[in-house]
Amino acid sequence: MDTLHLDAVRTTVERMMARIRATRELLDATGAAIRRRIPKIYSRELTELIFVHPYCRTCDVVKADIAKRQTAAIYLNTLAAQSVLEQVTARREILYINSSLLTLLADRE
């Protein structure tokens, strides 16, 4: 490969690494905010789940074996009430969106 191609690869890797670091920092900050503001529902598993599933549903929390259906709904509603997630109704389903993560991922920088 010539220097131009190597520079392009290096730039791509540097941007990707920066995005990974920013995502990790957002995950840590989100977990700290949940732990501080709503400690009764904090768990590392729940925090990580809303990053794995930026469009999260109650059934995602149940499938991850974090909580039963009713408790999972309470957790997600509480996160939405605290502005950690955004609650959106799509057809007959309620989605809880991690808008902060989606904004970070959509950033073209």
Side-chain angles (χ1 to χ4, degrees), residues 6 26 32 37 60 68 73 77 82 89 94 98 104-105:
L6 288 175
L26 181 60
R37 296 188 337 227
D60 296 322
K68 301 289 184 206
N77 284 325
Q82 290 292 316
T89 302
I94 299 173
N98 187 340
L104 181 123
L105 295 175

Side-chain angles (χ1 to χ4, degrees), residues 25-81:
E25 289 169 5
L26 181 60
L27 170 66
D28 292 343
T30 301
I34 295 168
R35 191 172 40 250
R36 185 178 61 256
R37 296 188 337 227
I38 37 179
K40 289 183 179 183
I41 72 162
Y42 171 77
S43 76
R44 188 69 183 175
E45 294 81 11
L46 179 60
T47 305
E48 289 176 355
L49 182 73
I50 65 175
F51 277 76
V52 171
H53 295 278
Y55 293 92
C56 194
R57 300 167 299 164
T58 302
C59 66
D60 296 322
V61 178
V62 173
K63 284 180 188 173
D65 206 24
I66 294 170
K68 301 289 184 206
R69 184 159 186 72
Q70 184 176 357
T71 304
I74 291 169
Y75 287 177
L76 293 174
N77 284 325
T78 302
L79 290 172

